[in-house]
Amino acid sequence: MTKQVRQLDRVIIRFAGDSGDGMQLTGDRFTQETAAFGNDLSTLPNFPAEIRAPAGTLPGVSSFQLHFADHDILTPGDAPNVLVAMNPAALKANVGDLPRGADLILNTDEFTKRALAKVGYAANPLEDGSLGEYRVHSLPLTSMTVKALEDFDISKKDAERAKNMFALGLLSWLYHRPTDATVRFLEVKFAKKPEIMKANIAAFQAGWNYGETTESFSVSYEVKPATLPPGLYRNISGNMALAFGLIAASVRSGLPLFLGSYPITPASDILHELSKHKRFGVRTFQAEDEIAAVGAALGASFGGALGVTTTSGPGVSLKSETVGLAMATELPLVVIDVQRAGPSTGMPTKTEQADLLQALYGRNGESPVPVVAPSTPSDCFAVAIEAARIAVKYRTPVMLLSDGYLANGSEPWQVPEVDSLPEIEPAFAEAGEEDFQPFKRDPETLARPWAVPGTPGLEHRIGGIEKADGSGNISYDPNNHDLMVRLRQAKIDGIARDIAPLTVDDPSGEARVLVLGWGGTYGAITAAVRRIRAAGGTVAQAHLRHLNPFPANLEEVLHSYDKVVVPEINLGQLALILRGRFLVDVIGYNRVRGLPFKAEELADVIRDVINS
Amino acid sequence: MSDPLALVPKDPERQTAKDFKTDQEVRWCPGCGDYAILAAVQGFLPELGLKRENVVFVSGIGCSSRFPYYMNTYGFHSIHGRAPAIATGLASSRPDLSVWVVTGDGDALSIGGNHLIHSLRRNVNLKILLFNNRIYGLTKGQYSPTSEVGKITKSTPLGSLDSPFNPISLAIGAEASFVARTIDSDRKHLQSVLREAATHNGTALVEIYQNCNIFNDDAFAPLKDPQTRDDVTVRLEHGEPIVFGADRDKALRRSASGPLEVVPADSPDILVHDARNPDPSLAFALSRLDSPTFEHTPIGIFRQVERPSYDELMRAQIDEAIAQHGAGDLTALLGSGDTWRID
């Protein structure tokens, strides 16, 4: 039977099931296949904090959304074209996001009376007509998988667990994905359980074959590779890019990398990744708590390492005093906050941007620290290097604000040439200096010398107590304190001379409305701006990588537009600062749902401002 | 046994205590026990003969934590309770340093208790000097986690309610590989303990009974008073029978029910001290001899056992990874995983 092949320019698929159904793995594999095929892509994993929430319940639903296209895309997509729902809970939790006409692939084996009742379905949605506006593909995924695996010497439970691979095989057929890498992946993953390995590969192939033979799918789809600039590519998540960026900063500075960390969602993967790279001399230290994690990193910095600590918002709260110490002792330190929904424990697996004020101000005393934020998963690489560059050059802690969306989301990344990466010069103080003064500053950067233990003749003592300008001896002199507070501030402010000016994307040059964002909202804002322009609208866009200090031209940019819209996944933290600093009446758009913005909602907001 | 100082460069010049003094005025209260400890440490370090620039003192907050300012080495006066954490990062990334932590009973056992126990179990190469004066000095006289129950202070006018820690028992319970106690007024003993601590591989905890003459004067009087000290001090010497008393007429023995009991020195089966015993139960039992009245207080090294240090294990994993797979190559790393090329 020859089936029809239809061309699409982009597709959004969401895999949804129980936390134990392997939806994240399925999504990851489909993503890898898609990346290898050469599409542009963006992903949104969405899962509960509970490792195995009660089966079949709404809180237990785990999903993975993937947007892929034959052109450059920016977000994981607003609404899925295809939903794979492994049980009634997955259907109920996700069906509301589907546009009319979307494809629904349902595992009918799980649509039992009990399972339906568990999530409050009075009638079976497969039978009551409530799914009429979708193209429903009712498939007994579990029993087909079990049947396909009946010749294998594995338990029924193990056979049932392979249903995600059956689904992956079916979707791989439906969208013409290459399958070799998934087979290789399964061979490695189950190398120690050969029977399970063979069964999973068989389930994957059975899913593919089912697609080819069933009448349930009469059409398959092709999405041509995207035309991206030439080069070597890989798919990368934000957390992976941060880990790679830190290693690159270590290599480019010649400073050994020391990571002090305490496990916390959604930052732990950075610790996991870095702990694999001991060949780079990376030391990873899983501390007894957040405070020890940053303390050890600072101690390593004192000894001449690139000290880094990784955490999320609650961890930053605990580290605050030590960041203050790093600021006061003027030692390099990189503090990575992978923001999650707060306050307090909040929603650990959900994204948010509400730690900006904590990063900027969450310490006692006048305690300015540079703050940087990546805008996309792959941008985490460059921003990690930038954080290290500033920390080392200016002898200061630097806060890097990633978020849960960037951390777990992924996109294709053009692998950079190592020689193109910034060089970082530690410029340690050297032996032989007469009358060494640990707080004598570089006249240009105001950075103090970094004199590490082991350097003869530069023995000195530092600490959190106020220091005399120059000598660094303890000083309670009123005017000295005033001077030191101002010097520390001036040092951080001066970094503005050392960062790129804010670039504004305003192709027509006639926009009266500027959309200004920061951090992980870049993709959604840019997609919204493109939609408005595609419909003939005019809008300018700029995105801040440096939140402290701001680029030197920010004030000028803000005053160049009649209206400035600032979308943030918080209640207006950047907006507060912009208003306070620049007296600009910015228009905030703020939602804190634990999810990234959708392009369409932002387009609506911006359109309203343009038209008002 | 690994020598923790093997990689620390030695000074070819002969050093004296003066080499370790800074130009900073020492600002402890006149009569404070800290002066004696400072002099003892400055007097001892030349013995090690390490290059001064390879010695680091890290402290937290409190009277004792001012110590680094007076040592002409590298020094880091950090924040309350966190010195072991900061020193852990330093010591585990710099095998060419001799890293010392100076802390007090509040700093180490109250706000920093977590870091103390974890550095002990980890066995990082740190030498922790815990100045125990059983009071909060710098905040002017509140009771501390080593103050006796019922202590009347500014914050406990009717007497403190909570039981104190015994730092030695705590350290042994935290899997410490080296645990000792000494006293500020006995320089010879203090230096003999420092000598063993400095060359111990891993974390060494040295509790130093230290008199705060302002807020808790004479806290250890029975151990210092020439009239009583010889009678109540139980000196622990590895391999020696534990005999004490002014007339050396008392000894220790395990009672049938378990705890140690004081018996005449000529009794059969008196205890011989064994600090190197892998089993910590004897060291623990000795730590329980302490009493509020100091009738028999052990000083010396309770426990001194061999165990790999965290930093050497960490180093070994890196060396092993490089030996097996070669040093890291950034180009290869960035281009690893599933990649594709667009021409």
Side-chain angles (χ1 to χ4, degrees), chain A residues 250-332:
Chain A
S250 164
V251 170
R252 297 296 282 172
S253 63
L255 300 172
L257 180 60
F258 184 100
L259 174 74
S261 191
Y262 185 78
I264 185 169
T265 302
S268 304
D269 280 343
I270 310 169
L271 167 63
H272 303 160
E273 185 61 33
L274 285 175
S275 65
K276 294 179 197 163
H277 298 291
K278 303 199 188 314
R279 293 165 58 198
F280 287 87
V282 176
R283 284 175 159 82
T284 52
F285 172 64
Q286 184 178 315
E288 59 270 24
D289 57 32
E290 296 280 0
I291 300 172
V294 66
L298 183 60
S301 281
F302 179 64
L306 178 60
V308 178
T309 189
T310 49
T311 187
S312 187
V316 174
S317 304
L318 287 163
K319 294 177 198 295
S320 294
E321 190 188 14
T322 307
V323 177
L325 177 68
M327 189 273 157
T329 52
E330 302 188 47
L331 286 169

Side-chain angles (χ1 to χ4, degrees), chain B residues 215-259:
Chain B
F215 294 111
N216 199 20
D217 198 16
D218 288 336
F220 308 103
L223 300 173
K224 297 187 173 200
D225 183 345
Q227 301 295 313
T228 56
R229 69 182 177 206
D230 292 340
D231 212 40
V232 299
T233 305
V234 181
R235 287 176 181 266
L236 302 175
E237 308 273 359
H238 176 70
E240 298 294 323
I242 303 175
V243 177
F244 65 104
D247 305 321
R248 299 191 58 76
D249 58 345
K250 291 180 273 190
L252 293 176
R253 189 172 70 184
R254 271 214 197 265
S255 68
S257 61

Side-chain angles (χ1 to χ4, degrees), chain A residues 29 32 35-36 38-39 181 184 226 228-235 244 247-248 251 258 277-289 291-292 295-296 298-300 302-303 321-322 325 329 331 381 412-413 415-416 418 421 451-456 458-465 473-474 476, chain B residues 22-24 27 52-56 58 61 66 68-80 82 85-90 92-97 111 114-116 118-119 121-122 124 310-311 314-315 317-318 321-322 325-331 333-343:
Chain A
R29 285 318 314 164
Q32 290 300 337
N39 293 125
R184 277 202 307 276
L228 298 169
L232 182 68
Y233 284 79
R234 60 166 293 157
N235 194 56
F244 281 15
I247 293 173
V251 170
F258 184 100
H277 298 291
K278 303 199 188 314
R279 293 165 58 198
F280 287 87
V282 176
R283 284 175 159 82
T284 52
F285 172 64
Q286 184 178 315
E288 59 270 24
D289 57 32
I291 300 172
L298 183 60
F302 179 64
E321 190 188 14
T322 307
L325 177 68
T329 52
L331 286 169
F381 177 79
W413 175 51
V415 177
V418 168
L421 302 175
V452 302
T455 318
L458 307 191
E459 295 86 357
H460 65 283
R461 278 62 56 192
I462 57 170
I465 299 193
N473 289 332
I474 293 177
Y476 288 83
Chain B
T22 63
D23 59 358
Q24 296 294 293
R27 298 192 204 178
R52 259 188 316 126
E53 63 266 25
N54 290 79
V55 178
V56 184
V58 182
I61 292 290
R66 297 294 179 101
Y69 289 112
Y70 311 131
M71 294 298 303
N72 193 12
T73 62
Y74 280 86
F76 199 159
H77 177 213
S78 75
I79 45 178
H80 210 7
R82 316 305 170 202
I86 289 167
T88 291
L90 181 63
S92 57
S93 53
R94 288 289 303 270
D96 60 329
L97 302 179
I111 194 166
N114 201 30
H115 308 309
L116 180 76
H118 286 278
S119 60
R121 78 169 168 86
R122 243 179 231 125
V124 189
Y310 180 82
D311 29 307
M314 193 183 223
R315 232 166 27 245
Q317 282 194 343
I318 291 174
I322 293 172
H325 307 288
D329 172 351
L330 187 56
T331 301
L333 173 73
L334 301 184
S336 62
D338 292 340
T339 59
W340 67 99
R341 187 169 282 284
I342 293 179
D343 299 314

Side-chain angles (χ1 to χ4, degrees), chain A residues 26-38:
Chain A
T26 309
D28 262 343
R29 285 318 314 164
F30 196 89
T31 302
Q32 290 300 337
E33 294 174 2
T34 296
F37 183 70

Side-chain angles (χ1 to χ4, degrees), chain A residues 378-583:
Chain A
S378 67
D379 189 44
C380 288
F381 177 79
V383 173
I385 298 175
E386 174 66 353
R389 181 189 76 85
I390 294 174
V392 170
K393 183 166 176 183
Y394 293 90
R395 324 303 198 202
T396 178
V398 175
M399 303 279 303
L400 185 156
L401 294 179
S402 179
D403 65 44
Y405 161 64
L406 295 177
N408 293 317
S410 66
E411 62 180 357
W413 175 51
Q414 187 180 351
V415 177
E417 294 291 334
V418 168
D419 290 341
S420 71
L421 302 175
E423 274 188 75
I424 299 171
E425 179 50 62
F428 290 123
E430 285 173 12
E433 199 172 318
E434 290 290 306
D435 186 28
F436 173 68
Q437 299 222 34
F439 281 81
K440 187 176 167 190
R441 293 168 192 280
D442 178 285
E444 192 190 330
T445 61
L446 296 182
R448 75 175 191 91
W450 190 9
V452 302
T455 318
L458 307 191
E459 295 86 357
H460 65 283
R461 278 62 56 192
I462 57 170
I465 299 193
E466 186 59 283
K467 292 150 283 284
D469 181 31
S471 74
N473 289 332
I474 293 177
S475 171
Y476 288 83
D477 179 78
N479 290 326
N480 176 74
H481 178 56
D482 188 78
L483 174 68
M484 290 296 277
V485 166
R486 289 172 197 279
L487 279 171
R488 289 186 290 255
Q489 182 70 49
K491 178 179 81 168
I492 303 306
D493 291 346
I495 298 170
R497 293 190 296 269
D498 191 21
I499 59 178
L502 183 65
T503 52
V504 181
D505 177 45
D506 182 5
S508 70
E510 288 171 6
R512 298 321 310 151
V513 173
L514 170 74
V515 190
L516 179 68
W518 69 276
T521 52
Y522 173 78
I525 294 174
T526 310
V529 164
R530 282 186 190 175
R531 283 181 200 199
I532 289 167
R533 289 179 187 159
T538 308
V539 63
Q541 187 198 352
H543 207 76
L544 288 166
R545 169 182 277 190
H546 294 92
L547 283 308
N548 191 40
F550 287 128
N553 65 333
L554 176 60
E555 181 161 22
E556 187 195 324
V557 169
L558 291 172
H559 288 298
S560 306
Y561 293 89
D562 295 343
K563 290 174 186 161
V564 179
V565 184
V566 181
E568 293 181 86
I569 307 178
N570 60 43
L571 293 187
Q573 301 195 0
L574 176 64
L576 174 77
I577 296 161
L578 296 176
R579 285 162 170 265
R581 282 279 300 278
F582 305 115
L583 297 176

